[in-house]
C-alpha cells in the first residue's frame, strides 16, 4: 500500500507523474550560460609619471637608472613604484611589468 500524501500533492487523476516527462528540457529551469572570465575592475588610474616609471620598469631599468633618466631621486622612484603596485594590485616588479604589457603601456 502506498503511503498517504497530503491533499493537493498528487495530480487530479491520482497517478504519479512520469519521471521522464518531468526531466524534459521544458520542465527544468534554464541553466545559466557558461561563465566567461570577467575582467577585474579597473585600477585607480595611473598618473602620467607613474606610466613613465612603469614603462621604464618594463624596459628593465633599475630604480637608479629610472631616477637618472627622469631626474628623480631614488626615494621618489620607489614611491612611484609602490603606488603603481597599490593601484595595479602587483606584488612585485614582475607583476607590474606583466600589467604594463597586458594593458598596452609597454611595447
Amino acid at each position: 500500500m502506498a503511503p498517504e500524501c497530503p491533499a493537493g500533492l498528487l495530480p487530479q487523476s491520482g497517478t504519479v507523474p512520469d519521471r521522464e516527462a518531468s526531466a524534459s528540457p521544458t520542465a527544468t529551469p534554464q541553466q545559466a550560460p557558461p561563465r566567461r572570465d570577467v575582467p577585474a575592475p579597473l585600477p585607480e588610474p595611473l598618473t602620467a609619471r607613474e606610466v613613465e616609471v612603469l614603462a621604464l620598469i618594463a624596459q628593465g631599468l633599475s630604480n637608479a637608472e629610472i631616477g637618472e633618466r627622469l631626474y628623480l631621486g631614488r626615494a621618489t622612484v620607489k614611491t612611484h613604484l609602490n603606488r603603481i603596485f597599490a593601484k595595479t594590485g602587483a606584488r612585485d616588479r614582475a607583476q607590474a611589468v606583466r600589467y604594463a604589457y597586458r594593458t598596452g603601456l609597454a611595447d
Side-chain angles (χ1 to χ4, degrees), residues 76-89:
T76 304
V77 174
K78 284 180 119 177
T79 298
H80 286 308
L81 187 56
N82 285 323
R83 289 185 179 164
I84 291 166
F85 288 169
K87 290 179 180 182
T88 63

Side-chain angles (χ1 to χ4, degrees), residues 91-107:
R91 291 184 308 243
D92 54 31
R93 290 173 92 91
Q95 287 185 348
V97 169
R98 181 174 181 256
Y99 173 86
Y101 279 97
R102 195 175 71 234
T103 59
L105 296 175
D107 303 330

Side-chain angles (χ1 to χ4, degrees), residues 28-44:
T28 59
Q30 287 190 359
Q31 293 180 346
R35 184 169 181 241
R36 295 185 181 128
D37 288 333
V38 179
L42 293 175
E44 185 178 333

